[in-house]
Amino acid sequence: MTTQTAFDQIFRNALLRSSATPVDIGVKGGRIAAIEPQLACEAVEVDLSGRLALPGFVDTHIHLDKACLLGRCGHNHGSVSEAIRAVAGMKKDFTVEDVYARGAKVLERAIVHGTTRMRTHVEIDPRIGLRGYEAVKALKRDHAWAIDLSLCVFPQEGLTNDPGAEELLVQALRDGGESIGGCPYMDSDPNAHLERIFDLAQEFDVDVDLHLDFDLDPSWWHLDEVCRQTERRSYQGRVAIGHVTKLSALPPERLKAATAQLANAGVAVTVLPATDLYLMGREATHNAPRGLTLAHKLVDNGVLCSVATNNVLNPFTPFGDASLLRMANFYANVAHASVSDFDTCLDLVTDLPARLMNLGDYGIKVGNPADLIVLDTKDSRFAIAELPDVVMGFKNGRQTFERPRPTLFSSRS
């Protein structure tokens, strides 16, 4: 037993993924000051009762600005282009207040489901202007007590073919946009689109997070150009690509080559199960393809990957609750993950996306912020398998939510 006198708070009996038995976590000034068994100190105590503590889930790819649109348009959208057109038709009328209110609903659900870090993609173009950006910037400010929100600005409907979009992107980056995205398959000149996105990334020294190749035709793609730009600009470790559904359509040898290409270029992959499954393969009459890239297999071969939410209750994905634990479980089911892969599936919504976002202060480690969530399980192997409740969360040592255990009322004679 180590005696300490300088803690504000102690989390007692916390099970960590790295520890075989529960430990205590001492917190001082909102940061983790010690992790040891049986810390001796007079401080505010929170007994976790041997339950699993995690540093929080990390959502690398979500669209808060176009969430919760069900009821505003028809929803029989069977393709990416139809979904884009549906949202494009609505967003010209979006107000700052409207985007804020819809985004807040999703953020609040994400918080109580245990997300502590998030990158939201924000559309920037002449239709929406900077209204969506201003709303999400306000969401970032107003929810900082519970979640770190990072803004990735991007042109959804093209760049070289959309006069005025680049000037708005530059404005957003000057105003604090923390990363830049792109959507080359929506541009009349995809390579020029990518060239300009990388130019802006270097000019403002921000990471790149692209939407890429959202279909199942592997006869063409933009992955080669992304890797070329990444290597030419020494941007390894600072580039991510989302969806990349074409990888799911590759035969084994081509997939092996593409995997090596991604690993060598230091380009990360984000898989978005809910949207990828909803929009891929809908035209098939039988044996419908899943369109889901196998992130855990890519991880086994050296590619940094994450699993994320993407859209919630809109034409791209007309369902969702912003629960990354549920998304990881969903992914594991659809991806035929083995029980031995469950740890990696949990990594895909925790440690790996934190690396993708280059979060240097993530994790339950001495010196890091005291950000943690508590899952109602005493075996980390079961986190993916049984979807335990996330019963409480803390940000910088301050409690952000609590979910009481349900009470069963048995029948009585």
Side-chain angles (χ1 to χ4, degrees):
M1 180 182 292
T2 299
T3 301
Q4 298 282 348
T5 58
F7 299 133
D8 303 323
Q9 183 180 38
I10 297 177
F11 294 102
R12 299 284 187 195
N13 303 309
L15 179 68
L16 306 183
R17 294 180 72 189
S18 59
S19 61
T21 56
V23 296
D24 293 344
I25 303 170
V27 177
K28 177 68 175 178
R31 291 188 172 269
I32 297 170
I35 303 173
E36 298 178 25
Q38 299 179 309
L39 285 172
C41 176
E42 291 294 325
V44 175
E45 296 188 2
V46 181
D47 188 359
L48 303 190
S49 303
R51 291 176 295 193
L52 178 65
L54 298 173
F57 299 119
V58 182
D59 202 331
T60 63
H61 190 126
I62 193 169
H63 295 264
L64 294 177
D65 55 342
K66 56 189 181 189
C68 302
L69 293 172
L70 293 190
R72 297 195 185 186
C73 64
H75 300 293
N76 295 319
H77 307 107
S79 70
V80 180
S81 58
E82 288 173 354
I84 290 173
R85 281 196 298 272
V87 173
M90 290 183 281
K91 73 179 176 183
K92 66 181 184 299
D93 297 320
F94 287 173
T95 64
V96 173
E97 295 75 17
D98 171 49
V99 173
Y100 184 99
R102 290 184 287 102
K105 288 181 184 179
V106 177
L107 266 185
E108 288 164 10
R109 297 205 73 181
I111 289 166
V112 299
H113 284 308
T115 298
T116 56
R117 312 284 185 109
M118 176 184 284
R119 173 183 284 172
T120 181
H121 291 248
V122 185
E123 294 190 18
I124 306 288
D125 61 41
R127 268 74 58 202
I128 184 67
L130 295 176
R131 297 190 303 278
Y133 176 81
E134 292 298 332
V136 178
K137 190 169 66 167
L139 288 169
K140 171 187 173 76
R141 178 195 66 219
D142 293 347
H143 292 80
W145 56 273
I147 189 168
D148 292 326
L149 185 60
S150 177
L151 278 59
C152 178
V153 298
F154 87 110
Q156 170 74 80
E157 299 173 45
L159 183 60
T160 69
N161 56 324
D162 197 4
E166 182 172 328
E167 289 77 8
L168 288 165
L169 277 173
V170 168
Q171 281 186 252
L173 289 167
R174 284 177 177 160
D175 191 51
E178 292 146 291
S179 53
I180 188 170
C183 201
Y185 59 82
M186 290 297 295
D187 203 303
S188 55
D189 191 340
N191 284 354
H193 179 112
L194 288 169
E195 178 90 21
R196 194 64 194 124
I197 293 299
F198 274 89
D199 285 345
L200 290 171
Q202 285 193 300
E203 180 181 345
F204 288 92
D205 191 24
V206 295
D207 291 355
V208 175
D209 196 336
L210 303 160
H211 293 64
L212 206 71
D213 299 345
F214 202 177
D215 63 65
L216 296 175
D217 178 4
S219 67
W220 65 271
W221 63 12
H222 302 123
L223 187 147
D224 292 338
E225 180 64 14
V226 170
C227 291
R228 189 183 75 82
Q229 291 281 353
T230 300
E231 292 174 324
R232 181 167 74 85
R233 299 166 188 264
S234 299
Y235 241 58
Q236 294 92 335
R238 301 191 66 180
V239 178
I241 49 179
H243 299 294
V244 210
T245 50
K246 288 179 186 287
L247 292 177
S248 72
L250 292 179
E253 285 306 309
R254 281 195 63 193
L255 179 59
K256 182 178 179 182
T259 301
Q261 183 180 15
L262 288 164
N264 292 334
V267 173
V269 170
T270 295
V271 174
L272 304 158
T275 304
D276 296 347
L277 284 159
Y278 178 69
L279 291 177
M280 294 294 100
R282 296 178 69 84
E283 71 286 351
T285 59
H286 59 285
N287 283 341
R290 301 180 183 209
L292 187 79
T293 291
L294 300 184
H296 67 289
K297 298 290 189 183
L298 294 180
V299 169
D300 287 344
N301 288 283
V303 180
L304 180 60
C305 293
S306 68
V307 162
T309 299
N310 196 42
N311 281 289
V312 176
L313 303 176
N314 73 10
F316 294 87
T317 320
F319 30 67
D321 60 359
S323 168
L324 278 178
L325 186 60
R326 183 185 67 81
M327 194 63 70
N329 169 278
F330 180 45
Y331 168 84
N333 274 270
V334 177
H336 290 148
S338 302
V339 174
S340 60
D341 296 319
F342 285 1
D343 268 339
T344 301
C345 292
L346 188 55
D347 290 339
L348 286 166
V349 291
T350 53
D351 296 339
L352 296 176
R355 282 177 50 201
L356 185 152
M357 289 179 62
N358 290 306
L359 302 177
D361 62 351
Y362 175 84
I364 301 178
K365 302 173 184 175
V366 172
N368 280 354
D371 299 350
L372 59 95
I373 61 171
V374 183
L375 276 60
D376 194 14
T377 183
K378 296 188 177 183
D379 190 329
S380 64
R381 295 174 300 174
F382 294 156
I384 294 295
E386 65 179 355
L387 285 176
D389 286 339
V390 185
V391 295
M392 64 182 78
F394 299 83
K395 181 70 176 168
N396 297 317
R398 175 188 176 274
Q399 188 160 5
T400 54
F401 71 91
E402 183 173 14
R403 179 180 284 105
R405 279 186 172 179
T407 301
L408 294 177
F409 297 96
S410 61
S411 60
R412 295 177 175 86
S413 56

